[in-house]
Amino acid sequence: MNTQPINLIFRFLQNRSVVVINLFYKKKVISGIIIGFDEFMNLVVDDACEILLNSEQIKIGRILVRGDSILLIYENFSIKNN
């Protein structure tokens, strides 16, 4: 099965999955729920937290992540969202 990147992001949005986003430029890791995106893969992320190296989390809230700064997106199966 061939899954296009935009289809995977849409699935995360539909399922309200908690995702982890690794950012390219500042080597940051963000966790949250994708609530919107566009054709450039810019993401609107709700309940966003920055995950630090010591696993501490800093709550950020709702953010916009620019598509060209995203290195990796994956579903965080360790956090269940109701």
Side-chain angles (χ1 to χ4, degrees):
M1 182 170 132
N2 186 7
T3 302
Q4 297 295 318
I6 208 82
N7 295 336
L8 183 60
I9 293 171
F10 188 65
R11 193 180 80 207
F12 291 152
L13 181 137
Q14 284 183 316
N15 296 336
R16 292 196 47 87
S17 301
V18 177
V19 295
V20 177
I21 304 165
N22 291 26
L23 301 179
F24 179 72
Y25 295 112
K26 297 215 175 190
K27 310 286 190 229
K28 292 189 179 208
V29 179
I30 303 292
S31 175
I33 301 167
I34 297 172
I35 60 170
F37 67 94
D38 65 12
E39 68 271 16
F40 303 108
M41 286 182 31
N42 297 318
L43 307 177
V44 178
V45 181
D46 203 16
D47 297 330
C49 296
E50 181 180 352
I51 303 172
L52 304 177
L53 291 176
N54 61 1
S55 296
E56 182 182 338
Q57 293 188 6
I58 299 172
K59 290 194 180 272
I60 302 171
R62 184 173 290 177
I63 62 171
L64 173 75
V65 180
R66 187 174 161 137
D68 68 351
S69 68
I70 298 171
L71 183 62
L72 173 70
I73 302 173
Y74 60 93
E75 190 168 3
N76 189 347
F77 291 107
S78 65
I79 298 176
K80 298 286 185 196
N81 186 29
N82 295 333

